[in-house]
Amino acid sequence: RLIAMAAAVAAVALMMGATRFARPLPCASGVRVQLKAKSSCLHASGAVRMLAAPRKKLPERRVDVSCANCGTQLYRYAKGNGAGSQLVKVYLERIVEDHTGGARECPSCGTQFARETTIHGRPANKIISGKVKVR
């Protein structure tokens, strides 16, 4: 049944002009498919609900993310909420400068500081508590 719903969502997405979309994801009441600009959710009733798309403009605030163990700079990151708040997740699209080469380990000391995950349909790194410093 979910496969049939996913095919229906893909058909609706193509009718709406989406040129590419990712794999179907479970939704609270059906199947959700992440589109290029928006995300839609096909409910069991057959209705399609459009979900909010992430902002295209990066936040103004930039923070330096460095290794807590050796102090090597890992990222320059466009942080959305306050600079004083703790860094919990790093959306890959908000990384301004990446000094790790895409790895989630410190290039200097080899300490793993994050885990790969998907948050709200967007690729992100979940930061391991105490492994990074934010300035």
Side-chain angles (χ1 to χ4, degrees):
R1 180 175 171 178
L2 286 178
I3 294 172
M5 290 179 74
V9 170
V12 170
L14 291 175
M15 286 189 300
M16 294 174 60
T19 55
R20 71 177 173 89
F21 48 89
R23 62 183 169 80
L25 301 168
C27 186
S29 59
V31 174
R32 187 181 77 200
V33 174
Q34 180 72 35
L35 304 177
K36 191 172 183 182
K38 291 185 179 178
S39 177
S40 66
C41 183
L42 180 67
H43 294 269
S45 65
V48 175
R49 182 173 61 110
M50 299 306 290
L51 304 174
R55 295 179 184 164
K56 290 183 174 34
K57 186 178 176 229
L58 289 178
E60 296 287 325
R61 184 175 291 111
R62 303 287 191 261
V63 294
D64 291 321
V65 180
S66 58
C67 178
N69 191 24
C70 65
T72 304
Q73 186 176 5
L74 304 170
Y75 299 131
R76 182 121 174 102
Y77 181 66
K79 190 162 175 10
N81 57 353
S85 63
Q86 190 175 11
L87 189 66
V88 176
K89 60 187 169 271
V90 172
Y91 289 112
L92 300 184
E93 63 201 29
R94 289 187 181 181
I95 296 174
V96 179
E97 296 173 17
D98 186 2
H99 300 284
T100 63
R104 286 165 295 282
E105 295 179 351
C106 176
S108 190
C109 65
T111 303
Q112 182 183 7
F113 63 87
R115 294 183 186 92
E116 182 179 13
T117 187
T118 303
I119 301 172
H120 302 294
R122 298 158 52 192
N125 288 337
K126 255 323 244 256
I127 301 297
I128 300 170
S129 181
K131 300 289 183 173
V132 296
K133 289 181 187 174
V134 179
R135 288 187 212 112

